[in-house]
Amino acid sequence: MTEKEFIEISVTKSRGSLPEFPGNFLSDVEVRSVDMPGKTIVLGQELFGSFEIIDSDGNVYFQVGSTLEAKYYLYSNRTKPSKISVPVKETDVISVVKKYENSIDQILQGLEKDFKKEFPGNKNFYQVSNQIFHMLNLQRY
């Protein structure tokens, strides 16, 4: 098997097991609906203790009070939805983000295990995992 074949197989395999964020993590959590821009957003600069969420043109969409809240918006935007559900309580935002990151880390650990099994001694896992995450439109901030 080549690295390219490993990437293709891993993307196909991972697509079926990807958790939907935030949907799969909001059971028993009070939420509010938030409009989203429907395009790619990124973490902007920190200004006076708040973090900006901006698009590629530099337009500010949100100002949030913590990096975990910023991550929530960034992770929620994976499929570029027009609306998302956001927990009302900040403690729920933190809990949901940590659970999601744990599931992404488990996917990454599984990929690494499979990669090492298939390519013992190969040091390209970082590049391969980046390609897999890019193809899945996944981020881990």
Side-chain angles (χ1 to χ4, degrees):
M1 173 184 302
T2 65
E3 285 182 8
K4 182 178 179 181
E5 291 169 332
F6 178 84
I7 290 168
E8 291 171 1
I9 290 168
S10 297
V11 167
T12 302
K13 180 179 163 185
S14 296
R15 259 199 190 108
S17 64
L18 284 179
E20 180 189 328
F21 188 85
N24 289 6
F25 300 88
L26 293 176
S27 60
D28 300 325
V29 174
E30 183 182 357
V31 296
R32 60 186 168 87
S33 182
V34 174
D35 292 330
M36 295 292 282
K39 56 181 163 177
T40 301
I41 55 175
V42 296
L43 183 61
Q45 296 191 7
E46 178 185 5
L47 298 172
F48 306 110
S50 294
F51 296 88
E52 293 180 330
I53 307 288
I54 61 174
D55 67 13
S56 58
D57 297 325
N59 300 314
V60 177
Y61 285 95
F62 305 104
Q63 286 192 330
V64 296
S66 72
T67 55
L68 286 171
E69 190 176 0
K71 287 179 180 185
Y72 187 92
Y73 284 94
L74 296 172
Y75 292 147
S76 295
N77 199 56
R78 179 176 163 256
T79 59
K80 299 180 184 92
S82 59
K83 289 188 180 293
I84 61 168
S85 296
V86 178
V88 173
K89 296 178 184 175
E90 186 176 348
T91 55
D92 289 335
V93 170
I94 292 166
S95 173
V96 166
V97 167
K98 288 184 178 185
K99 286 177 187 174
Y100 178 71
E101 287 180 338
N102 185 47
S103 69
I104 295 299
D105 291 346
Q106 288 176 355
I107 290 170
L108 191 58
Q109 289 168 358
L111 289 171
E112 185 175 20
K113 180 181 172 187
D114 293 346
F115 184 82
K116 286 181 177 179
K117 182 179 175 183
E118 191 66 38
F119 305 102
N122 189 321
K123 306 273 189 221
N124 289 339
F125 178 71
Y126 181 74
Q127 291 86 1
V128 168
S129 63
N130 278 340
Q131 288 180 24
I132 293 168
F133 269 45
H134 178 73
M135 292 173 80
L136 293 170
N137 195 26
L138 277 178
Q139 298 290 324
R140 174 63 168 90
Y141 299 98

